[in-house]
Amino acid sequence: MTSFDTSPPLNVWRALLALSVVFVMLATTGWTAMRSHRDSGALQASLTKWEHGRVHGFPLPDPESAPARLGRFFASLSAADRDRLAHRYPLAVGNMNGAPATLRYKANHIALDQARKVEKKRMHDNRLSAAGQQDAGRRMHRYESLLSRGRHILAFDPAGSGRIAEVFGNLDRAQRVSVVVPGVDTDLLTFQRTYRRYTAPVGMAKALYSAQRDAGPSTRTAVIAWADYTAPDGLGVDAATGLRAQEGAVRLNGLLRALPGRARVAMVCHSYGTVVCGVAAHDMPRRVTDIAVAASPGMRVTRADRLGTTARVWAMRDATDWIQDVPYLELGGLGHGADPVSSAFGARVLSARDAQGHAGYFQPGTDSLRNLADVGVGAYDAVTCAHENDACRAGLPGTTTAGRA
């Protein structure tokens, strides 16, 4: 299936738009995209077990409670009690907004090791086809990689094609936090790549974290590679509608409301991830000061001021990116609206020189990565505007120091 990382023929999008009525009818009568799902239900099982659990004779709080309430609950426990809960309910604790980040890392390490053992057994299960055994092997090796020393897994769900989020830097001490929201074809197996590493969430986040340390050496930063939503699988109905974005927006805002400390937050959204950020924008907490979108097919609004956020909105697109040929409109629920880099949209348009196509925005040495890093650390006076003028910096803090406060 065609990926958002490759350049599809324009007639794919024209056909999708022309058949919008058919697609909407199919969508509303139960049609779903063909995906390879393995619904283990392990997370739900862990949550159910948590709901019936107790600590020192007292019932555990509702896992859907507000992050602040859950934070107070975990703060009231001893280190030994928190450790026991992580071992007893690893997936529940590892995905619980409000649990301390370090406890989530520990819980997800336990959950990943359990999932690794399951896949190792499946590799040799004669009831599976050869393809099924190979899939189990790929997942087992991915889990082994995620279990490597020093990795900080903030969210993990093995169900279906998998969801995951990873932190680079110290989330508790950070003065600035950036959240990378990727696009289609993102799941456990594509979370990181050896070849074309900067096209996958881990490579994107690592590159951004490194660039931010160069841009603001005195600023404590953290970057989250956030693939904790079910992304569309290639170019199809899911990619052309807002359904996955709506589901992802709920999860994204759950994460944002649970971030520790008072660090300012920048959203760094790519491709279909910009649709997720657009849908989520109106409900983002005020600590989100910037939303930067790259290679956007649209944010499901006609203008930036209709996103319903106080955050600054930045946009960029490289001249070689095929996404510019996508019809920027919405018809019958298909399509994502206006072009974020158009003057009528009203975003601050940044240079993306040297990004090279749709998937090159996080490549080291590009204007796009430098600009995303500058936005992330609040170095607004250092960003490079798209049109060789200062228009994108108009009305912003006048000094780097002020921007990093």
Side-chain angles (χ1 to χ4, degrees), residues 14-29 237 241 331-334:
R14 286 175 174 163
L16 284 172
L17 290 168
L19 294 172
S20 61
V21 175
V22 176
F23 284 144
V24 170
M25 288 177 63
L26 288 170
T28 56
T29 54
V237 175
T241 69
L331 175 64
L334 215 60

Side-chain angles (χ1 to χ4, degrees), residues 371-391:
N371 278 326
L372 293 172
D374 286 334
V375 168
V377 300
Y380 305 119
D381 62 328
V383 301
T384 306
C385 302
H387 304 298
E388 298 184 355
N389 57 34
D390 296 332

Side-chain angles (χ1 to χ4, degrees), residues 311-337:
R312 288 171 284 267
V313 181
W314 308 81
M316 62 171 66
R317 185 176 65 220
D318 182 70
T320 63
D321 189 342
W322 60 261
I323 201 76
Q324 65 189 309
D325 295 323
V326 170
Y328 282 96
L329 51 84
E330 188 274 331
L331 175 64
L334 215 60
H336 302 302

Side-chain angles (χ1 to χ4, degrees), residues 140-340:
M140 189 203 73
H141 291 304
R142 175 46 43 87
Y143 295 150
E144 286 180 341
S145 174
L146 294 169
L147 285 164
S148 299
R149 185 179 179 84
R151 301 196 71 166
H152 298 144
I153 307 304
L154 188 65
F156 166 60
D157 182 0
S161 53
R163 296 194 299 252
I164 191 158
E166 182 172 8
V167 176
F168 300 92
N170 190 318
L171 196 56
D172 290 313
R173 297 184 65 248
Q175 297 167 302
R176 292 272 182 173
V177 174
S178 295
V179 183
V180 176
V181 183
V184 304
D185 292 329
T186 299
D187 56 30
L188 273 168
L189 294 180
T190 61
F191 187 56
Q192 65 186 82
R193 294 187 178 113
T194 301
Y195 174 65
R196 299 179 71 229
R197 69 179 66 181
Y198 301 115
T199 68
V202 168
M204 293 176 176
K206 280 186 173 181
L208 183 61
Y209 182 54
S210 178
Q212 287 183 347
R213 285 181 291 173
D214 290 339
S218 63
T219 303
R220 297 190 302 272
T221 64
V223 177
I224 301 173
W226 189 81
D228 193 25
Y229 81 108
T230 303
D233 187 15
L235 284 179
V237 175
D238 278 353
T241 69
L243 177 61
R244 296 298 184 191
Q246 291 165 6
E247 296 168 349
V250 173
R251 302 186 64 81
L252 180 57
N253 280 321
L255 164 79
L256 295 175
R257 285 190 287 270
L259 289 176
R262 297 182 178 180
R264 296 182 183 183
V265 178
M267 306 304 302
V268 180
C269 321
H270 178 255
S271 194
Y272 189 84
T274 71
V275 186
V276 178
C277 289
V279 174
H282 76 280
D283 202 30
M284 287 179 179
R286 291 183 66 86
R287 69 190 296 184
V288 176
T289 57
D290 299 273
I291 301 173
V293 301
S296 179
M299 301 180 74
R300 301 195 73 78
V301 291
T302 56
R303 297 199 313 262
D305 60 12
R306 294 188 176 178
L307 287 168
T309 177
T310 58
R312 288 171 284 267
V313 181
W314 308 81
M316 62 171 66
R317 185 176 65 220
D318 182 70
T320 63
D321 189 342
W322 60 261
I323 201 76
Q324 65 189 309
D325 295 323
V326 170
Y328 282 96
L329 51 84
E330 188 274 331
L331 175 64
L334 215 60
H336 302 302
D339 182 355

Side-chain angles (χ1 to χ4, degrees), residues 46 85-95 104 107-108 110-111 114:
S46 185
L85 290 176
H87 279 83
R88 192 175 299 168
Y89 317 103
L91 279 172
V93 174
N95 291 277
R104 291 178 68 167
N108 283 319
I110 295 166
Q114 292 176 350

